[in-house]
Amino acid sequence: MLRLINKIIALSGKYKWRIYVAFVFSFVKSMLLKAPVCLSFLALNRFLERRMTPGYCVTLFGMMAASVILQIIFQNIADRLQSGAGYLMFADLRNELGVHLRRMPMGYFTEGNIGKISSVLSTDMVFVEENCMTAIAGLMSDIFAEIIMILFMYYINPVLGVAATIIAAGMLLVGKGMEKETLADSVTRQEQSENLTEAVLDFAEGMGIIKTYNLLGKESKELSGNFQKSCDTNIGFEENHAPWQRWMGIAYGIGTVATLVSGYAMFANHMISLGYFIGLLLFLFDLYSPMKVLYSQLARLTVMNSCVDRMQEVFEEMELPNDGTRKISESKTHAGNEIEFKNVDFSYGKKQVLDQISFAVKPDTMTALVGPSGSGKSTIASLITRFWDVTGGTVKVRGVDIREVPLAELMDQISMVFQRVYLFEDTIYNNICIGRPDATEEEVAEAAKKARCYDFIMNLPDGFQTVVGEGGSSLSGGEKQRISIARCILKDAPIVILDEATASVDVDNESYIQEAISELCRGKTLLVIAHRLNTIANADHILVIENGRIVQRGTHDELVQCEGVYRNFVNVRTRMKGWSA
Ligand SMILES: Nc1ncnc2c1ncn2[C@@H]1O[C@H](COP(=O)(O)OP(=O)(O)OP(=O)(O)O)[C@@H](O)[C@H]1O
């Protein structure tokens, strides 16, 4: 349990001192909580010794009243300090986690970690945020209270103090067993919660396919199977925990009776006075209750412990190194290459997908990447934006190795238009502004006009202030695509990477998208993952990729002259009137 406190304090960053101060207040509050009983004990002894005076009596009552008032004040201050610290600390942690996730390689998000991230960000963080400070305050207060009670036993009689220490140690042992069992179970419980989140996300994301292929029964079964497992895990957790709670109750009972019997034996043998024996009775039922209360919170604390561990696991995931300090030259008229790949190898885990890729892209030219599905075109494009780092060779932008440049600076140079467009659940205006947050309204409108989306936006009831659904779900595919192009036009980065859409959109939308793309690419260096013959034929340079290697390169006219993969593709494409990669 102390480890949990350490972990929370380690996470608390700049609020650490606030939490320490709250601990001091909690400690004082715990002492004040016991003050009325201690004062009653003193009064009782005075009375039995026939030394009670009215003045002494008034003083004791005054002290009692003061201790109650002070206890309320201290409790209030500790609560405010702690709960405030909890929410502030988690606001910072969420931001830190956001920054950390942004710096992680794309691979982390595609390797089955989405369920984990969602469950950490929603379930785990919310649980710890809402519970950590009250739980720690309770924990600290119980520990302090138990120490104070045992010290008081030493004050009554050292032998009673030793007996109370032994009994408390016995309860601690039971607690340790309980902690071990609960800890193991809470890990399983958290894993199940992660699986459940993953299953729910899968179900929601795949709803289109589920309906089309009539998989509702099968997928629902899978989801309800996960609900059932989650329910079983939670019941199992409670069932395993309950016997330990009973053992703790038994230890508490035995401890209380043993202390009472020892106290009475000492009183009967004149080792302690009647006053002290009555004092012992005053404390008896409170003597081990902090311990019992503390362990009744164990389930909550161990779940919190696993939540904190999982949060830390995500925080400890390696980020893409971002310690580069070099600047990319702003000059676009330099004689060198805008993009350069030199002997680039790349593997996803153990699977090598790029092998000795070398090419250069001159400023203000268009280079098309063509080749069969799975040949490595998207991977080449994603290495330029450092979604992953190369496993061999170098990628340079304007002569600078991109690993030596701060990521933010690299991203300023590049716009990407993906096939699959994602819009945030926000206004259209804000979705376009992502390209350049400090843009003026006129600039946003201008970008929308160039991307051929101004008219349809203005026809929406709330215009630019229309809120689009999650992922842009309330707009058509072509409309989303044009908004994403407006975003890139606003960004005005010198390099544009374009993953040309394979899915056909209606004729109107297609011509609008082509016009929007022409606007975006004016005066830019363009790298296109090309699927349309028109685009490919217009490229200044074509790279034909097969099995992760460049097998042909040149212009369209040069490549159709010679036998090879490219000519075959063009023939098939011409025959089928559709590029079949
Ligand atoms: N995140 C990933 N993890 C593991 N393997 C991957 C990952 N992404 C792609 N691959 C594999 O790498 C190879 C190259 O994929 P890539 O997407 O670059 O090809 P592509 O030419 O762009 O294909 P397409 O035209 O179908 O988009 C493929 O074999 C693919 O299965």
Side-chain angles (χ1 to χ4, degrees):
M1 288 199 217
L2 292 177
R3 269 204 303 266
L4 173 65
I5 298 181
N6 272 335
K7 285 179 194 173
I8 304 260
I9 287 179
L11 288 173
S12 60
K14 61 181 186 226
Y15 304 106
K16 189 185 288 177
W17 286 106
R18 196 175 162 139
I19 296 177
Y20 284 142
V21 173
F23 284 167
V24 174
F25 278 92
S26 278
F27 176 67
V28 179
K29 182 218 80 183
S30 302
M31 297 217 316
L32 289 169
L33 195 68
K34 300 296 165 210
V37 193
C38 292
L39 293 169
S40 308
F41 168 75
L42 290 178
L44 183 78
N45 274 285
R46 274 271 170 145
F47 182 75
L48 290 172
E49 289 164 9
R50 298 177 194 284
R51 289 194 297 125
M52 180 64 92
T53 60
Y56 191 79
C57 198
V58 170
T59 311
L60 282 183
F61 274 121
M63 285 170 77
M64 255 188 224
S67 72
V68 171
I69 293 168
L70 281 175
Q71 183 219 320
I72 294 169
I73 294 172
F74 276 57
Q75 169 86 62
N76 210 300
I77 297 173
D79 285 352
R80 275 166 178 262
L81 283 171
Q82 277 167 334
S83 61
Y87 289 115
L88 290 167
M89 149 186 159
F90 271 85
D92 283 5
L93 278 174
R94 284 200 177 89
N95 283 332
E96 273 173 42
L97 190 61
V99 172
H100 177 62
L101 290 174
R102 267 208 326 262
R103 291 178 181 158
M104 305 232 299
M106 278 299 285
Y108 181 74
F109 302 94
T110 51
E111 282 160 11
N113 286 311
I114 298 292
K116 183 170 187 171
I117 299 168
S118 312
S119 144
V120 164
L121 270 168
S122 50
T123 327
D124 295 351
M125 278 194 140
V126 172
F127 184 77
V128 182
E129 177 181 33
E130 286 177 353
N131 288 284
C132 71
M133 288 302 150
T134 46
I136 290 183
L139 187 68
M140 294 307 289
S141 168
D142 288 333
I143 294 172
F144 292 146
E146 193 59 71
I147 293 172
I148 292 166
M149 303 291 259
I150 292 176
L151 287 178
F152 190 73
M153 288 298 114
Y154 277 99
Y155 172 72
I156 292 179
N157 187 286
V159 178
L160 267 182
V162 172
T165 309
I166 293 170
I167 292 165
M171 288 178 81
L172 208 62
L173 273 182
V174 176
K176 281 283 156 207
M178 187 196 264
E179 208 173 324
K180 207 169 151 198
E181 175 107 23
T182 318
L183 208 57
D185 281 355
S186 71
V187 172
T188 321
R189 189 164 144 165
Q190 291 310 101
E191 278 169 6
Q192 185 48 42
S193 141
E194 196 177 299
N195 293 342
L196 186 62
T197 312
E198 188 100 46
V200 171
L201 287 176
D202 234 31
F203 187 76
E205 269 183 14
M207 190 50 88
I209 303 290
I210 292 169
K211 281 182 184 286
T212 317
Y213 289 93
N214 225 350
L215 298 174
L216 212 51
K218 179 178 173 285
E219 286 300 319
S220 300
K221 247 189 228 158
E222 215 156 300
L223 190 62
S224 43
N226 261 298
F227 284 136
Q228 188 56 49
K229 259 193 222 156
S230 183
C231 172
D232 293 345
T233 314
N234 287 335
I235 291 175
F237 181 82
E238 295 301 333
E239 278 176 356
N240 288 345
H241 188 69
W244 286 102
Q245 281 294 356
R246 279 197 291 277
W247 279 114
M248 186 54 82
I250 291 169
Y252 168 80
I254 294 175
T256 307
V257 171
T259 313
L260 176 64
V261 171
S262 327
Y264 181 74
M266 291 171 89
F267 168 62
N269 289 302
H270 308 292
M271 288 169 74
I272 56 172
S273 68
L274 175 64
Y276 276 44
F277 178 60
I278 297 177
L280 168 67
L281 292 182
L282 282 176
F283 275 93
L284 188 64
F285 292 100
D286 270 350
L287 182 53
Y288 305 112
S289 58
M291 212 64 164
K292 202 171 142 205
V293 172
L294 192 149
Y295 280 101
S296 69
Q297 296 294 316
L298 188 72
R300 192 160 66 124
L301 295 172
T302 43
V303 170
M304 204 182 302
N305 192 56
S306 326
C307 291
V308 173
D309 283 349
R310 277 153 37 100
M311 277 164 53
Q312 276 174 335
E313 270 173 33
V314 178
F315 271 114
E316 280 163 15
E317 287 290 341
M318 285 283 282
E319 294 181 357
L320 269 182
N322 187 23
D323 45 9
T325 51
R326 292 187 64 185
K327 290 237 164 249
I328 294 178
S329 153
E330 281 175 11
S331 159
K332 278 204 71 200
T333 50
H334 66 102
N337 298 316
E338 191 81 332
I339 304 169
E340 190 182 345
F341 274 55
K342 203 161 181 202
N343 302 330
V344 168
D345 294 330
F346 181 74
S347 310
Y348 289 110
K350 287 192 179 135
K351 179 179 171 191
Q352 181 164 10
V353 292
L354 296 182
D355 183 11
Q356 294 291 298
I357 298 283
S358 297
F359 68 89
V361 178
K362 294 278 176 208
D364 301 343
T365 61
M366 173 160 109
T367 299
L369 298 175
V370 297
S373 178
S375 54
K377 306 180 293 291
S378 306
T379 306
I380 291 177
S382 56
L383 291 182
I384 304 172
T385 44
R386 286 195 73 201
F387 284 178
W388 285 273
D389 270 342
V390 295
T391 38
T394 46
V395 177
K396 291 183 178 175
V397 167
R398 294 205 198 123
V400 185
D401 186 330
I402 56 174
R403 288 168 295 189
E404 294 171 10
V405 178
L407 265 175
E409 159 134 10
L410 177 67
M411 288 310 176
D412 283 347
Q413 310 296 320
I414 303 169
S415 285
M416 273 194 107
V417 181
F418 300 96
Q419 266 197 47
R420 193 171 168 217
V421 178
Y422 188 86
L423 298 184
F424 292 96
E425 199 173 343
D426 201 343
T427 59
I428 292 181
Y429 186 89
N430 287 342
N431 265 292
I432 297 178
C433 256
I434 289 170
R436 186 149 55 87
D438 60 350
T440 62
E441 279 183 28
E442 289 73 31
E443 286 168 328
V444 173
E446 191 54 34
K449 282 179 190 160
K450 285 184 179 165
R452 307 293 185 261
C453 52
Y454 185 80
D455 290 343
F456 92 76
I457 294 173
M458 294 313 281
N459 279 333
L460 296 169
D462 293 323
F464 276 93
Q465 294 312 315
T466 306
V467 175
V468 294
E470 194 184 345
S473 55
S474 50
L475 298 171
S476 80
E479 289 167 343
K480 282 193 281 182
Q481 183 73 258
R482 282 183 275 157
I483 288 177
S484 82
I485 295 172
R487 196 190 266 174
C488 293
I489 289 177
L490 194 63
K491 184 173 175 184
D492 197 25
I495 298 172
V496 176
I497 298 173
L498 175 68
D499 193 350
E500 207 174 39
T502 42
S504 51
V505 280
D506 61 76
V507 181
D508 276 354
N509 250 321
E510 178 163 350
S511 69
Y512 284 140
I513 290 172
Q514 286 308 324
E515 285 172 29
I517 287 176
S518 308
E519 282 287 349
L520 168 67
C521 301
R522 193 160 293 157
K524 310 277 185 223
T525 305
L526 196 58
L527 187 84
V528 193
I529 299 169
H531 300 282
R532 292 169 212 281
L533 200 50
N534 271 351
T535 317
I536 300 166
N538 283 331
D540 300 294
H541 199 59
I542 299 166
L543 300 171
V544 184
I545 318 290
E546 198 178 47
N547 294 327
R549 301 187 70 108
I550 298 178
V551 288
Q552 283 185 295
R553 58 179 85 207
T555 62
H556 172 75
D557 293 339
E558 286 163 3
L559 290 172
V560 285
Q561 297 300 320
C562 42
E563 283 288 327
V565 182
Y566 186 76
R567 196 155 81 180
N568 294 341
F569 277 157
V570 173
N571 288 340
V572 172
R573 178 68 181 89
T574 315
R575 269 205 308 275
M576 291 174 63
K577 289 200 166 189
W579 177 261
S580 160

